[in-house]
Amino acid sequence: MKIPGIIDAHIHFCREEPYFNHIAELAGHENSSEHLKGQYAEHNIVHAVVMGNRGLELSQHNYPDYLSYCIGLDSTCFNTGEIVQQADLVAKHLQRKNCVGIKLYPGYNHFYIYDPVLDPFYQLAMQYKKPVAVHTGLTATSQALLKYSHPMVLDEAAVRYPQVQFVMCHIGNPWLVDAVAIMDKNENVAADLSGLLEGRIANMPDFFARKRGYIDFLKLWLEYLDNYDRLLYGTDWPLANISNYIEFVAHIIPEEQHGKVFFDNANRIYGLGL
C-alpha cells in the first residue's frame, strides 16, 4: 500500500545490538541504517522520530538526516544530587534542531510521571516548546511495573503541566478505553499508534479476520474520540514489519483522515518543519 508522505513518529535506532537484530529479523527486516533507508524510500516514509533509550551524552545521539530524536530519560536522571547537571545535559539536546522532544520510560524505571522531581525537565519542555512522549501500556520486560505505565498517569501530569504537549506512546494498549478518556479530557495529550503489531504478518486479510474483535474495539473508541488531529502513525520499528503496519493503520483510520495521522500531526507536534 502506497501512502504519499509518511512520518513514523516512533522508532528505535540501535544498530548492531543483539536484541534489536533479533526482533528486526522476526519482522522481516535487517537492523541497519542502510536497510531502513531503503525501506523508507520504498514506502514513501520521509522522516522518523527515534525514541532515545541511550544515555544523556550528546555523542550517543548521532543519527542520519532522515531521523530526528527524543532524548530518553530513565530514573537515574532524577537523582536529586545530580539533577542540575542532568537537566543541563537535556537542555543541550533540546537546543539541537534534530532533538524534537523528551521521552519517558516510567514502567521500566519505576516512577510516576507527575512526580515533582521531574519539574526541571517539564520546565525545559515548555522553554523549548517540545513535547514529552511517554511509554504507556504493556512493557517488553517482566521486571517493569504496569502501575507506572498505565495511561491514567497522564491525567495528573496533563493537569499539572497544562502547557506541556504530551504524546501517549502505544495509545496505552491494552487500556484503550482509559487512554481515549484521558485524551478526551485533556487537550494537551496526543497518542501514537505504535507497538500494536509485532513481527511479520504473512496474510493481512486473514489477520484482520482473526483479530476482528480487537480491531473493531480499537476503531470503535477512536471513532468515539473523533479527534484525528491528535493521533500519530508510528511503528516501534524494528518490532513490526513496515508494510504490515502501514496497511494496519490505514485499515483502522478513515481514509479521509490519513493525511493527518500519517504525516500532518507528527510534523506539527514534533515541530519537524517538513
Side-chain angles (χ1 to χ4, degrees):
M1 177 174 291
K2 289 281 188 178
I3 293 180
I6 296 174
I7 296 171
D8 190 335
H10 189 128
I11 75 166
H12 296 277
F13 191 75
C14 302
R15 292 168 289 188
E16 303 306 320
E17 292 191 9
Y19 170 73
F20 287 96
N21 293 346
H22 177 64
I23 62 173
E25 184 178 349
L26 292 177
H29 290 302
E30 175 189 317
N31 183 31
S32 71
S33 178
E34 295 77 15
H35 176 83
L36 186 62
K37 187 174 183 179
Q39 287 291 303
Y40 280 9
E42 181 178 339
H43 293 95
N44 296 329
I45 300 173
V46 299
H47 205 77
V49 179
V50 176
M51 294 294 148
N53 51 3
R54 299 175 182 271
L56 292 182
E57 294 301 322
L58 294 173
S59 61
Q60 294 180 306
H61 296 275
N62 295 316
Y63 301 99
D65 59 6
Y66 62 91
L67 301 179
S68 298
Y69 75 101
C70 290
I71 181 61
L73 309 184
D74 61 26
S75 59
T76 62
C77 296
F78 313 137
N79 296 329
T80 54
E82 302 174 12
I83 203 146
V84 173
Q85 299 93 318
Q86 292 157 345
D88 285 345
L89 278 173
V90 171
K92 289 178 181 178
H93 283 280
L94 295 176
Q95 290 162 13
R96 286 175 157 184
K97 182 179 179 180
N98 68 330
C99 181
V100 295
I102 292 171
K103 173 67 185 293
L104 301 177
Y105 296 89
Y108 294 104
N109 294 291
H110 304 177
F111 64 90
Y112 286 114
I113 64 169
Y114 48 78
D115 190 311
V117 74
L118 275 76
D119 280 349
F121 303 101
Y122 287 125
Q123 292 295 328
L124 288 171
M126 288 185 278
Q127 178 183 345
Y128 292 100
K129 296 180 172 59
K130 295 188 178 182
V132 175
V134 182
H135 175 97
T136 62
L138 288 177
T139 57
T141 66
S142 59
Q143 290 76 30
L145 292 176
L146 296 179
K147 68 177 182 178
Y148 297 111
S149 65
H150 193 286
M152 194 63 73
V153 300
L154 270 160
D155 185 40
E156 187 161 345
V159 170
R160 185 169 290 184
Y161 308 101
Q163 297 179 56
V164 173
Q165 171 67 66
F166 290 94
V167 178
M168 183 192 306
C169 300
H170 319 305
I171 199 169
N173 190 55
W175 294 294
L176 298 171
V177 179
D178 295 336
V180 166
I182 300 306
M183 294 179 68
D184 195 30
K185 173 181 175 288
N186 299 288
E187 293 184 359
N188 59 329
V189 178
D192 74 41
L193 300 171
S194 67
L196 304 182
L197 301 183
E198 61 180 80
R200 182 176 180 273
I201 299 165
N203 187 326
M204 287 298 286
D206 176 67
F207 172 82
F208 289 139
R210 287 187 294 106
K211 300 294 185 180
R212 180 178 175 181
Y214 170 76
I215 291 169
D216 285 350
F217 186 77
L218 175 57
K219 290 171 70 174
L220 170 70
W221 284 100
L222 293 181
E223 290 165 3
Y224 170 87
L225 179 65
D226 195 24
N227 191 329
Y228 295 94
D229 292 327
R230 288 190 279 141
L231 295 172
L232 289 66
Y233 172 79
T235 61
D236 213 13
W237 191 88
L239 182 71
N241 179 271
I242 291 172
S243 179
N244 289 163
Y245 223 95
I246 293 171
E247 187 172 353
F248 173 71
V249 173
H251 182 77
I252 65 173
I253 299 295
E255 186 173 356
E256 64 271 20
Q257 306 293 346
H258 283 183
K260 293 179 180 179
V261 174
F262 278 100
F263 184 90
D264 295 344
N265 298 338
N267 191 36
R268 182 187 74 254
I269 288 172
Y270 283 113
L272 300 177
L274 299 175

